Amino acid sequence: MRPFLYSRADGLDHAVQLAREGARPIAGGTNLLDLMKLQIEAPERLVDINRLPLGGIEPDGEGVRIGALVSNSACAADERIRRDYPVLSRAILAGATFQLRNKATTAGNLCQRTRCYYFYNIDTPCNKRRPGSGCSAIGGFNRIHAILGTSDACIATYPGDMAVALAALNAQVEITTAQGRKRHVPVRGFHRLPGDTPEKDNVLEPGDMITAVALPPPAGGRQIYRKVRERSSYAFALVSIAAVVRMEGGKIAAASLAFGGLAHKPWHDPRIDELLAGAMPSDALADKAADLLLEGAQGYGDNDFKIPLARRALKAVLREATGDAA
Amino acid sequence: MPLTINGTERTFDGDPRTTLLDYLRRDCNLTGTKKGCDHGQCGACTVLINGQRINSCLTLAVMHDGDAITTIEGLGDPQNMHPLQAAFVRHDGYQCGYCTPGQICSAKAMLDEAALGWPSFVTPDITGEVRLTRDEIAERMSGNLCRCGAYSNIVDAIVEIMEAQR
């Protein structure tokens, strides 16, 4: 690990001031410290924000506001989240381990970086780690890589589960800017596609800090998080789907689906939700939804299997969400 | 503010790069906690912070002022073993033993989490009661790898203590 200056923020203003001066916020540290050990990240200054009062889950109108420092464990176990937003509990519990979730925070989880093998191997070119050096995954081993929204510069995926559920729930990220102002960004627009600047994972600007995630009023319906992975626990998603589907009289009244493991961001295609709303569930309908999802899909060799896998997973989730058995 | 390790107050004033794991092993001479992967993937370094299990390799010692840390040495010793330690011995819940301190710290916290009603990924109804089946225990212990493959005996040891606690 490269040397760094460590300071502890004693309030949000202090943290924002240090962040404005270039300090990197650290909370759980489970991803950042891992990357610092490998010298993929080498911040010169860390600001420990663990003592800030951002660790609560509070009612927010008819919704819920989850503080940036709420641990993944606490969020998944919270009674309101379990009852009113079960897809979020399920998604969080699908990721990592109890040890990691006890430390990992809501904001940190959103900001976790890709697990692309080449991003992690400092001996190989990677545009995300060293802009302009090239992408080793294109033409290399790319089993875990993206099939949607890729660019010639990067085919890495966003690896998380929590954000996929937050995208399905249409949650908002509350950001405190370097100037101390608040702004809100929908989770669906928080992460970005790689384009020519894959080093930027999300829309945070220098000095920005996430202070909370706001959930809208409970959507009800059936909520499912389906994760397909290489082993049954403690593995990143090859394909994952968060689904919130409300039925009325045998028809789909409303649906909101988001997908993990397919792109540089949790993937949400509003056309799928629109197609499903008001429709009678059927195999043909699910195929149409998959057609929309996979319209621009491109495999890179080892990850070609994700295209049929995503279709099958989507059809299985819709069957479960709209059928009587689930 | 000092941190407390197994009931003893200590003050950390070393290099901020020092992980809690290295601090425990190198500076506190508490070598029961093991360094496996050093990247949060194996769980050998699991300790309890304020009762919750964490990977001590992925946190900095400097971040733990005021925290109460429990390592395997704080759970029991050869003369006065923690029930889980004794159960691991009875059930042969190890072969080489390297992962064992992490397994036992993890199991201790896992039983506490289940008692609080925390669900896991395999819990059928996440708003209902938690029943620790073998599948539940396997899922909840998936952050602790055992390369000798003593898993079935580890689960046996945990089941025994879980039933004894009822």
Side-chain angles (χ1 to χ4, degrees):
Chain A
M1 215 184 289
R2 300 265 177 84
F4 53 84
L5 277 173
Y6 169 88
S7 15
R8 186 176 296 152
D10 50 24
L12 185 58
D13 292 346
H14 185 208
V16 167
Q17 180 205 325
L18 292 172
R20 193 167 52 227
E21 292 165 7
R24 189 75 183 270
I26 184 167
T30 51
N31 189 213
L32 181 56
L33 289 171
D34 185 25
L35 294 167
M36 285 169 65
K37 286 182 182 191
L38 297 164
Q39 302 197 2
I40 295 163
E41 299 265 16
E44 289 176 8
R45 209 164 163 188
L46 287 183
V47 50
D48 179 350
I49 58 168
N50 281 296
R51 311 294 160 114
L52 301 188
L54 301 172
I57 301 179
E58 309 292 342
D60 178 26
E62 286 175 48
V64 170
R65 183 176 181 275
I66 304 164
L69 292 174
V70 172
S71 74
N72 288 172
S73 287
C75 187
D78 182 83
E79 273 183 37
R80 281 161 299 185
I81 304 295
R82 281 195 266 171
R83 186 188 62 222
D84 295 336
Y85 307 93
V87 68
L88 178 56
S89 278
R90 290 266 181 213
I92 291 172
L93 294 171
T97 64
F98 274 80
Q99 285 100 315
L100 289 165
R101 295 195 297 268
N102 281 342
K103 264 295 190 193
T105 62
T106 305
N109 189 309
L110 284 173
C111 296
Q112 69 176 307
R113 309 214 62 194
T114 187
R115 277 10 181 237
C116 170
Y117 330 118
Y118 301 101
F119 176 73
Y120 262 78
N121 180 354
I122 58 170
D123 296 327
T124 57
C126 168
N127 286 322
K128 185 181 275 297
R129 179 169 31 76
R130 208 166 58 240
S133 62
C135 174
S136 304
I138 298 173
F141 292 104
N142 46 42
R143 183 171 172 77
I144 63 170
H145 289 76
I147 57 168
L148 294 172
T150 54
S151 75
D152 292 342
C154 182
I155 61 170
T157 55
Y158 173 75
D161 295 294
M162 183 192 81
V164 180
L166 292 176
L169 292 166
N170 200 14
Q172 304 278 320
V173 184
E174 178 195 292
I175 295 166
T176 300
T177 70
Q179 290 74 39
R181 287 197 308 270
K182 284 225 169 91
R183 68 183 171 111
H184 289 83
V185 175
V187 168
R188 292 172 182 175
F190 177 76
H191 297 94
R192 53 187 297 285
L193 292 178
D196 295 332
T197 51
E199 68 276 16
K200 273 181 71 72
D201 293 345
N202 54 53
V203 300
L204 288 177
E205 298 292 336
D208 277 356
M209 276 187 23
I210 297 174
T211 38
V213 168
L215 300 179
R222 281 185 186 156
Q223 302 197 3
I224 294 167
Y225 190 73
R226 173 78 60 107
K227 180 172 181 177
V228 185
R229 46 184 161 174
E230 304 276 18
R231 58 182 183 193
S232 60
S233 186
Y234 195 19
F236 289 96
L238 293 168
V239 173
S240 72
I241 303 178
V244 179
V245 178
R246 194 163 51 78
M247 299 292 291
E248 255 173 39
K251 284 187 175 175
I252 299 169
S256 178
L257 271 61
F259 303 83
L262 301 182
H264 198 257
K265 56 184 287 188
W267 193 262
H268 173 258
D269 186 335
R271 295 176 307 166
I272 295 174
D273 298 350
E274 285 160 19
L275 169 78
L276 296 174
M280 284 293 279
S282 72
D283 209 44
L285 179 72
D287 262 318
K288 266 193 215 164
D291 289 343
L292 288 175
L293 171 69
L294 297 165
E295 199 175 72
Q298 183 189 351
Y300 288 84
D302 300 327
N303 69 347
D304 292 350
F305 73 95
K306 284 191 178 185
I307 298 174
L309 179 61
R311 177 177 296 272
R312 288 197 302 273
L314 172 53
K315 292 176 76 171
V317 164
L318 283 178
R319 266 196 303 276
E320 187 183 338
T322 60
D324 295 323
Chain B
M1 217 183 343
L3 70 164
T4 309
I5 301 175
N6 299 332
T8 304
E9 283 195 359
R10 290 179 183 263
T11 305
F12 173 80
D13 57 1
D15 187 318
R17 287 176 292 180
T18 310
T19 61
L20 178 60
L21 171 62
D22 285 343
Y23 176 60
L24 291 170
R25 290 181 53 84
R26 194 187 56 202
D27 300 337
C28 305
N29 204 29
L30 292 167
T31 54
T33 307
K34 297 295 187 270
K35 183 183 281 196
C37 68
D38 209 24
H39 288 279
Q41 298 182 4
C42 75
C45 68
T46 302
V47 301
L48 311 180
I49 296 192
N50 308 324
Q52 291 201 340
R53 50 179 163 161
I54 60 123
N55 300 109
S56 62
C57 72
L58 286 185
T59 192
L60 299 172
V62 70
M63 295 166 77
H64 290 287
D65 277 6
D67 283 339
I69 291 151
T70 306
T71 68
I72 190 69
E73 293 91 340
L75 286 184
D77 59 50
Q79 282 71 47
N80 186 21
M81 283 197 282
H82 186 277
L84 275 165
Q85 290 174 310
F88 268 63
V89 172
R90 271 195 302 281
H91 290 276
D92 205 14
Y94 44 74
Q95 196 175 117
C96 80
Y98 197 80
C99 73
T100 312
Q103 298 277 1
I104 290 175
C105 285
S106 194
K108 161 86 174 70
M110 188 271 288
L111 293 171
D112 295 343
E113 290 156 2
L116 289 172
W118 285 16
S120 85
F121 182 66
V122 300
T123 307
D125 173 8
I126 57 170
T127 59
E129 262 182 48
V130 169
R131 252 189 70 241
L132 280 186
T133 60
R134 292 183 77 90
D135 280 352
E136 277 277 4
I137 292 171
E139 165 63 21
R140 288 163 189 265
M141 293 295 291
S142 74
N144 292 85
L145 303 187
C146 168
R147 271 11 249 152
C148 302
Y151 294 114
S152 58
N153 295 0
I154 291 170
V155 175
D156 287 345
I158 295 171
V159 167
E160 185 199 313
I161 299 310
M162 176 188 79
E163 286 174 350
Q165 284 182 354
R166 274 200 194 132

